[in-house]
Amino acid sequence: MAFRARGWRPPPPPLLLLLLWVTGQAAPVAGLGLGSDTELQIERRFVPDECPRTVLSGDFVRYHYVGTFPDGQKFDSSYDRDSTFNVFVGKGQLIAGMDQALVGMCVNERRFVKIPPNLAYGSEGVSGVIPPNSVLHFDVLLMDIWNSEDQVQIHTYFKPPSCPRTIQVSDFVRYHYNGTFLDGTLFDSSHNRMKTYDTYVGIGWLIPGMDKGLLGMCVGEKRIITIPPFLAYGEDGDGKDIPGQASLVFDVALLDLHNPKDGISIENKVVPENCERRSQSGDFLRYHYNGTLLDGTFFDSSYSRNRTFDTYIGQGYVIAGMDEGLLGVCIGEKRRIVVPPHLGYGEEGRGNIPGSAVLVFDIHVIDFHNPSDSISITSRYKPPDCSVLSKKGDYLKYHYNASLLDGTLLDSTWNLGKTYNIVLGFGQVVLGMDMGLREMCVGEKRTVIIPPHLGYGEAGVDGEVPGSAVLVFDIELLELVAGLPEGYMFIWNGEVSANLFEEIDKDGDGEVLLEEFSEYIHAQVASGKGKLAPGFDAEMIVKNMFTNQDRNGDGKVTAEEFKLKDQEAKHDEL
């Protein structure tokens, strides 16, 4: 509560005791022990276990009472007015017996006081209310006690081991509290509303005692702040729940703390020894994170979704504090980024993040790249003779280990016990791999790093390769079969027979069927006179060659249809 309401005016003060109306004096209280009707008698009917303070002369007290005559007839009661009686002790504002009877009382103590006439209203009494020479009985319950010399009292009952920062003037805080009176009566609680109290400290947004009582607190600290009424709501109270002249007790737990001038703070947890590259604005990052509030309350985690958070940095795709905090990281780095609310989700918050909350992100950078990146090739071994280099169309057999930048293994041909075989330049692998296998010799070992736009892109491969992942391939080329010139799927290794059609048409009927054509081509390959493009389905190549020659599509090739490549305006397989 502890908030100074603006524009509020208190209602008229409650009526004073009946006795005060009549005599100008305040009502009496009770005593201890038994004696004659000429002595003050006080019986302590209840004394609380804890009594940190007792009434002294000069203190201000708030108490309830019931006043009766010896026969039990009630003549006055504060309970009937639903308001405590509030008065200074020892300053002549009470009848003498009550001034004496209140001294030494604890808050929540109950006393039965028997006051003789000479310490009450004497031989005159109070006309129409107290007969002359009346003995008065008071059943008194003390609710509150304070002194004009009091200051704010602070009792810290829990302080976290680490306290890197404490509340200073002009800081903004979020805290939970229970507000009670000195007798323990609850008047307000942020816990009941399930919402922290959020405010600036030291600039007049709070009652003066709370402004002072919060200073020096750590996040996670719990303290009891006791505030005298002249540093709280004073004589008039708050007009609702807090009566005038009430001491207030706040049990406070600080959850959050920041200053509007704060920037982000970064704590490096793990920085890899080898950090060849640091992230820059415009890079695309994949990272894991745990998100908590400053008091450790968990609000989100990429780990729980088993998926990294993927984003561009420095371009407004994430909150401003995170945009800044992710700059300059290494792959594999772990850091803590603390983001004040004006660089996070502001006063409104978002989802299960409360408004004005400081956010703590513990991040682990898995990889990053830039859209302008190409592949990176590092040759780890080259054989002495490395003159024959791979090129488009060559048929390659190689082993590889595929992993992410953080070392997570994705796939391995060594584990499978067989090579991976492709024709280079024909789209049989991702573009980055095609590029990475160029100009490589048999026996060479190299590491190829492939950015996602040259790998598996944003989609990745479901269950195998994460989206937007940078890939690392450790490659060893085991075999290279030279391909054919570009545009050819079959070539002659020597002179072409002038009677080629007649040689293919073995039965001499002027027509070549697919079976004849296929038998002839395979015979040329077997004898070394011809060569099919390596790495492809030989039957499919031959069939395509036949189809190209069968110009009318009737399933046979005639001499008129048959042409060699140099006789064609367009490419032809012969």
Side-chain angles (χ1 to χ4, degrees), residues 92-107:
Q93 297 179 5
L94 294 164
I95 57 176
M98 189 63 97
D99 248 348
Q100 297 175 37
L102 289 172
V103 173
M105 282 193 81
C106 308
V107 171

Side-chain angles (χ1 to χ4, degrees), residues 374-379 381-382 386-398 422-442 444-450 454 473 475-477 479-480 484 486:
S374 186
I375 65 168
S376 166
I377 298 175
T378 303
S379 183
Y381 172 77
K382 280 189 177 183
C386 191
S387 56
V388 179
L389 302 180
S390 59
K391 64 183 183 306
K392 182 178 179 181
D394 287 350
Y395 180 63
L396 308 181
K397 294 183 178 182
Y398 59 94
I422 67 160
V423 178
L424 195 57
F426 279 81
Q428 295 180 1
V429 289
V430 295
L431 180 57
M433 191 63 161
D434 210 310
M435 297 166 64
L437 288 167
R438 303 286 178 108
E439 298 184 356
M440 194 173 183
C441 62
V442 172
E444 183 177 348
K445 299 177 182 179
R446 59 171 56 172
T447 298
V448 181
I449 299 177
I450 303 174
L454 298 175
F473 286 90
I475 302 167
E476 180 180 1
L477 184 59
E479 187 177 337
L480 185 159
L484 303 186
E486 188 169 353

Side-chain angles (χ1 to χ4, degrees), residues 15 255 442 526:
L15 295 176
L255 302 185
V442 172

Side-chain angles (χ1 to χ4, degrees), residues 295-479:
D295 68 339
T297 301
F298 171 86
F299 65 80
D300 192 22
S301 173
S302 63
Y303 295 100
S304 63
R305 293 187 293 275
N306 197 29
R307 177 177 170 79
T308 56
F309 190 80
D310 308 339
T311 184
Y312 287 97
I313 59 169
Q315 298 185 353
Y317 284 87
V318 290
I319 56 175
M322 209 57 170
D323 244 350
E324 182 181 351
L326 290 170
L327 293 173
V329 296
C330 305
I331 292 166
E333 182 173 343
K334 296 179 180 180
R335 65 168 51 173
R336 173 169 288 181
I337 304 170
V338 180
V339 181
H342 50 277
L343 298 175
Y345 292 101
E347 296 181 5
E348 300 300 320
R350 179 177 178 180
N352 58 349
I353 298 175
S356 301
V358 177
L359 307 179
V360 180
F361 292 94
D362 287 307
I363 69 158
H364 180 198
V365 180
I366 303 301
D367 74 31
F368 66 83
H369 72 279
N370 193 283
S372 63
D373 288 349
S374 186
I375 65 168
S376 166
I377 298 175
T378 303
S379 183
R380 295 184 290 110
Y381 172 77
K382 280 189 177 183
D385 181 9
C386 191
S387 56
V388 179
L389 302 180
S390 59
K391 64 183 183 306
K392 182 178 179 181
D394 287 350
Y395 180 63
L396 308 181
K397 294 183 178 182
Y398 59 94
H399 271 308
Y400 70 83
N401 283 328
S403 62
L404 302 179
L405 274 182
D406 67 345
T408 302
L409 183 67
L410 299 177
D411 191 19
S412 173
T413 58
W414 276 289
N415 291 347
L416 297 175
K418 60 179 182 179
T419 59
Y420 198 76
N421 309 328
I422 67 160
V423 178
L424 195 57
F426 279 81
Q428 295 180 1
V429 289
V430 295
L431 180 57
M433 191 63 161
D434 210 310
M435 297 166 64
L437 288 167
R438 303 286 178 108
E439 298 184 356
M440 194 173 183
C441 62
V442 172
E444 183 177 348
K445 299 177 182 179
R446 59 171 56 172
T447 298
V448 181
I449 299 177
I450 303 174
H453 50 277
L454 298 175
Y456 292 99
E458 295 182 8
V461 178
D462 189 32
E464 297 183 41
V465 180
S468 301
V470 178
L471 304 178
V472 180
F473 286 90
D474 289 312
I475 302 167
E476 180 180 1
L477 184 59
L478 301 180
E479 187 177 337

Side-chain angles (χ1 to χ4, degrees), residues 18 37 40 54 71 86 108 112 151 193 212 272 347 372 391 459 564 574:
L18 174 60
D37 287 347
L40 177 67
T54 60
D71 63 359
N86 307 335
N108 283 328
F112 182 78
Q151 296 296 320
R193 292 189 295 276
K212 184 175 182 181
E347 296 181 5
S372 63
K391 64 183 183 306
L564 296 177
L574 287 175

